[in-house]
């Protein structure tokens, strides 16, 4: 009876796809050149189906996905497995490998390529990510959204559309969405220029905060929610950008000044926690125990001989950021002195964007030759530090010859998502990789789409991919209505208080 049931199950899967494999073909000893490249990758058990096509278009394709007695067969110009069949196969192969065989027909003749495996990890992934979609151009910043995508299927929706509050020349720019412990009901994002302010959603209540204050360098920019307190640490930044005509990095975005502040969400109180005029503090991030704040800082002293903005632009390649930390007492809300964590300047490098794994063991960051906005630097790579040993290494298994940046850990610490320009050097797209307990990552794979050619046709960059335990359910027009209000003012205090 068991064998009969397995035969019926295979028949059902094959019938569901309604496709057959070619019976006459020649064998190739090479792996198929497919896009996206999913050969030998490890995926979460709950990931949406992997779709792909030949890198060089074929007249027709066919592919089989096999585990034990279960098999999915697909054919056409693109390989697009049925979602229901994929879920059944992935669940059956949990912790093991699915064998994939790809066939391609060119000039009327079929070729069967060397088979490869897709490993199905038993470690699930958070069901959602969100990101900012923006054109990588220098003409407009208005046509952008914060969007969210379900990783278990291909559904994407808009969290907030920048154009909802843009009126003619009064443009707006939204950025820096962030969540408290992956919770979509506790989020924040910024709007700049027209109707600017910080939007904070907390358990159903949505407010706009006007954080501008004479005691602060600027309103909050790059955020970091405390793991459980109603407290957000921001960097405040005087940001500029320049455009290159020869340099392959195209744009240089930099802070001429930056500090760290802490904002009490409940009391609407704000205070400075790092504001040395010769230090450029940025990109805060909390350790999961809530007792340590990590951030970046570069030492920079103006010579006062020319305009500060011009001087900084001329000396931009001298700016090297190191990684620091400060202790924090959740009972008293007091911060300790800073301590250096990674001295990138000693390597003549610059380290930014620290992110701590949920178990507190690993610190992932971006390393480049100089500067702070590494998403524009083609030499930017991901690095990993073991906080137990202090050892740091380049993540060769994730890095490519082009930009890697903007990384986030999944809530179970077994997956990372990061932005990469590895395919064309112009557009950042999300890539995922499994991380084992020793900090070793598997081969990264691109965000699957219903149409495998989607990203090559989609002229947008994915910025700041963040994992979420579910979708944001507040409608975009509700956020817009809040942004059109005046916003709640903040009170400056010398130090935070309980």
């Amino acid at each position: 009876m068991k064998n009969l049931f397995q035969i019926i199950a295979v028949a059902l899967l094959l019938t569901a796809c309604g496709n057959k494999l070619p019976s006459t073909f020649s064998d190739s000893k090479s792996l198929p050149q497919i896009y996206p490249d999913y050969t030998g990758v490890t995926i979460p058990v709950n990931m949406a189906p992997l779709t792909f096509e030949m890198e060089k278009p074929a007249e027709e394709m066919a592919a089989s996905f096999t585990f034990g007695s279960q098999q999915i067969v697909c054919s056409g110009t693109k390989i697009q497995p049925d979602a229901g069949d994929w879920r059944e196969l992935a669940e059956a192969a949990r912790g093991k490998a699915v064998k994939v065989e790809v066939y391609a027909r060119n000039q009327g003749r079929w070729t069967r390529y060397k088979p490869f495996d897709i490993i199905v990890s038993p470690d699930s992934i958070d069901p959602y990510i969100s990101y900012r979609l923006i054109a990588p151009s220098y003409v407009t910043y208005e046509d952008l959204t914060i969007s969210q995508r379900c990783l278990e299927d291909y559904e994407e929706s808009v969290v907030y559309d920048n154009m909802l509050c843009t009126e003619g020349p009064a443009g707006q720019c939204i950025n820096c969405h962030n969540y408290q412990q992956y919770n979509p009901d506790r989020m924040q994002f910024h709007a700049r220029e027209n109707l600017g302010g910080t939007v904070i959603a907390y358990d159903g209540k949505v407010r706009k905060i006007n954080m501008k204050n004479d005691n602060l360098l600027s309103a909050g920019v790059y955020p970091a929610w405390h793991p459980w307190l109603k407290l957000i640490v921001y960097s405040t930044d005087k940001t500029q950008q320049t455009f290159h005509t020869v340099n392959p990095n195209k744009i240089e975005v930099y802070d001429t000044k930056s500090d760290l502040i802490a904002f009490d969400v409940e009391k609407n109180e704000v205070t400075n926690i790092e504001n040395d005029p010769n230090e450029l503090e940025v990109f805060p991030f909390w350790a999961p125990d809530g007792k340590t704040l990590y951030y970046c800082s570069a030492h920079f002293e103006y010579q006062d001989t020319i305009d500060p903005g011009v001087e900084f632009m001329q000396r931009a390649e001298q700016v090297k950021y190191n990684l620091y930390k400060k202790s924090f007492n959740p009972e008293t809300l007091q911060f300790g002195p800073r301590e250096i964590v990674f001295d990138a300047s000693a390597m003549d490098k610059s380290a930014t964007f620290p992110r701590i794994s949920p178990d507190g063991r690993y610190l992932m960051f971006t390393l480049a030759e100089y500067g702070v906005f590494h998403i524009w630097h083609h030499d930017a790579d991901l690095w990993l530090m073991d906080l137990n040993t202090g050892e740091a290494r380049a993540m060769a298994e994730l890095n490519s010859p082009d930009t890697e940046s903007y990384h986030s850990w999944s809530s179970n610490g077994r997956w990372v998502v990061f932005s990469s320009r590895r395919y064309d050097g112009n557009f950042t797209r999300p890539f995922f990789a499994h991380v084992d307990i020793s900090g070793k990552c598997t081969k990264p794979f691109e965000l699957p789409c219903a149409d495998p050619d989607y990203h090559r046709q989609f002229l947008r960059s994915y910025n700041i991919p963040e994992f979420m335990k579910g979708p944001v359910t507040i409608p975009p027009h509700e956020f817009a209505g809040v942004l059109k209000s005046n916003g709640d003012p903040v009170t400056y205090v010398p130090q935070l208080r309980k």
Side-chain angles (χ1 to χ4, degrees):
M1 285 296 292
K2 182 177 179 181
N3 289 338
L4 177 61
F5 176 79
Q6 291 173 336
I7 292 171
I8 293 172
V10 172
L12 286 173
L13 282 175
L14 290 172
T15 302
C17 263
N19 300 299
K20 293 183 180 180
L21 298 174
S23 56
T24 304
F25 50 82
S26 60
D27 278 318
S28 170
K29 295 182 180 180
S30 301
L31 290 170
Q33 300 298 306
I34 59 174
Y35 174 81
D37 180 10
Y38 291 136
T39 59
V41 299
T42 298
I43 64 169
V45 66
N46 59 327
M47 180 60 78
L50 305 188
T51 66
F52 56 85
E53 59 190 345
M54 297 301 293
E55 184 68 59
K56 294 182 179 179
E59 295 166 0
E60 189 178 359
M61 294 179 67
S64 65
F65 302 82
T66 307
F67 174 74
S69 60
Q70 297 193 40
Q71 185 183 53
I72 300 173
V73 174
C74 299
S75 63
T77 56
K78 302 173 183 180
I79 300 302
Q80 298 164 295
D82 175 80
D85 295 344
W86 181 269
R87 282 193 294 270
E88 290 182 23
L89 186 67
E91 187 60 42
R94 179 190 287 261
K96 297 182 174 61
V98 171
K99 180 182 178 182
V100 185
E101 288 187 310
V102 175
Y103 303 72
R105 180 167 61 86
N106 288 288
Q107 298 180 337
R109 297 182 178 181
W110 284 97
T111 299
R112 182 175 67 178
Y113 292 90
K114 181 180 178 180
F116 62 89
D117 287 340
I118 294 174
I119 309 299
V120 182
S121 171
D123 296 321
S124 62
I125 200 167
D126 296 295
Y128 277 81
I129 60 170
S130 60
Y131 35 77
R132 190 171 68 146
L133 292 177
I134 184 171
S137 68
Y138 327 124
V139 179
T140 177
Y141 58 78
E142 295 180 8
D143 184 14
L144 62 92
T145 64
I146 297 174
S147 296
Q148 58 190 358
R149 160 72 193 273
C150 180
L151 297 180
E152 298 177 340
D153 56 36
Y154 309 118
E155 182 180 353
E156 183 182 73
S157 60
V158 172
V159 176
Y160 181 69
D161 188 333
N162 194 60
M163 299 297 285
L164 290 175
C165 286
T166 293
E167 300 174 2
Q172 187 185 68
C173 179
I174 50 170
N175 61 358
C176 301
H177 56 286
N178 188 253
Y179 307 90
Q180 186 179 47
Q181 289 294 91
Y182 309 90
N183 185 346
D185 296 325
R186 298 178 179 181
M187 71 167 296
Q188 74 94 69
F189 67 88
H190 299 302
R192 294 181 294 181
E193 305 299 333
N194 181 42
L195 301 173
T198 298
V199 174
I200 295 180
Y202 198 91
D203 294 349
K205 183 179 180 181
V206 185
R207 297 187 298 143
K208 175 182 175 181
I209 307 298
N210 180 6
M211 210 172 294
K212 293 182 179 179
N213 187 282
D214 291 341
N215 294 286
L216 305 179
L217 179 63
S218 71
V221 180
Y222 301 112
W225 280 90
H226 188 272
W228 68 85
L229 295 175
K230 291 184 180 181
L231 179 70
I232 307 175
V233 170
Y234 294 95
S235 65
T236 55
D237 308 74
K238 294 292 185 182
T239 302
Q240 295 185 14
Q241 61 182 6
T242 55
F243 305 95
H244 298 298
T245 56
V246 178
N247 192 315
N249 287 337
K250 296 182 181 178
I251 296 179
E252 191 61 48
V253 180
Y254 51 87
D255 295 325
T256 58
K257 296 180 181 180
S258 56
D259 295 327
L260 293 182
I261 64 171
F263 173 63
D264 188 312
V265 175
E266 198 164 42
K267 297 186 179 72
N268 275 17
E269 294 179 345
V270 64
T271 190
N272 284 299
I273 55 177
E274 280 285 329
N275 59 346
D276 186 328
N278 295 323
E279 291 289 327
L280 303 170
E281 303 96 348
V282 70
F283 291 141
F285 193 80
W286 289 98
D289 65 3
K291 297 179 180 180
T292 307
L293 179 73
Y294 290 81
Y295 64 98
C296 315
S297 186
H299 187 77
F300 188 86
E301 296 185 26
Y302 287 96
Q303 298 171 354
D304 295 326
T305 56
I306 57 175
D307 177 86
V310 174
E311 179 183 352
F312 200 101
M313 179 180 64
Q314 293 175 342
R315 297 173 56 198
E317 294 188 11
Q318 300 174 20
V319 181
K320 314 284 183 174
Y321 283 79
N322 296 321
L323 302 183
Y324 293 89
K325 66 180 180 180
K326 295 174 72 70
S327 63
F328 177 73
N329 187 328
E331 298 300 322
T332 64
L333 305 186
Q334 299 305 300
F335 291 89
R338 77 173 190 173
E339 304 173 53
I340 194 162
V341 176
F342 182 79
D343 189 352
S345 61
M347 303 167 58
D348 200 27
K349 301 286 186 180
S350 185
T352 67
F353 213 66
R355 290 292 183 266
I356 313 299
S357 60
D359 63 2
R361 179 174 176 181
Y362 295 108
L363 164 61
M364 193 178 296
F365 59 95
T366 305
L367 194 73
E369 291 296 324
Y370 64 92
V372 69
F373 217 69
H374 289 164
I375 193 172
W376 285 111
H377 290 198
H378 292 285
D379 65 305
D381 282 333
L382 296 176
W383 277 56
L384 190 74
M385 172 181 278
D386 186 331
L387 294 176
N388 289 344
T389 65
E391 296 179 357
R393 67 175 180 88
M395 303 191 76
E397 67 272 36
L398 298 187
N399 293 325
S400 73
D402 218 299
T403 307
E404 271 71 49
S405 65
Y406 281 148
H407 44 281
S408 298
W409 295 86
S410 66
S411 62
N412 62 8
R414 296 278 70 87
W415 301 93
V416 291
V417 60
F418 61 95
S419 294
S420 178
R421 299 186 181 219
R422 64 186 60 204
Y423 279 141
D424 55 31
N426 293 312
F427 295 91
T428 53
R429 299 176 178 117
F431 283 76
F432 301 83
H434 185 266
V435 189
D436 65 20
I437 58 174
S438 66
K440 186 70 174 178
C441 292
T442 56
K443 177 181 176 180
F445 65 93
E446 189 178 22
L447 173 69
C449 296
D451 182 346
D453 204 42
Y454 178 77
H455 284 141
R456 293 201 285 198
Q457 304 297 323
F458 186 55
L459 304 181
R460 291 288 188 274
S461 281
Y462 292 73
N463 290 165
I464 318 179
E466 293 275 354
F467 283 109
M468 308 146 69
K469 291 182 178 178
V472 175
T473 57
I474 298 168
H477 282 85
E478 184 174 341
F479 283 130
V482 171
L483 273 170
K484 291 174 183 177
S485 69
N486 291 327
D488 299 334
V490 298
T491 300
Y492 182 84
V493 294
Q495 60 183 35
L496 297 177
R497 57 193 176 87
K498 272 294 193 177

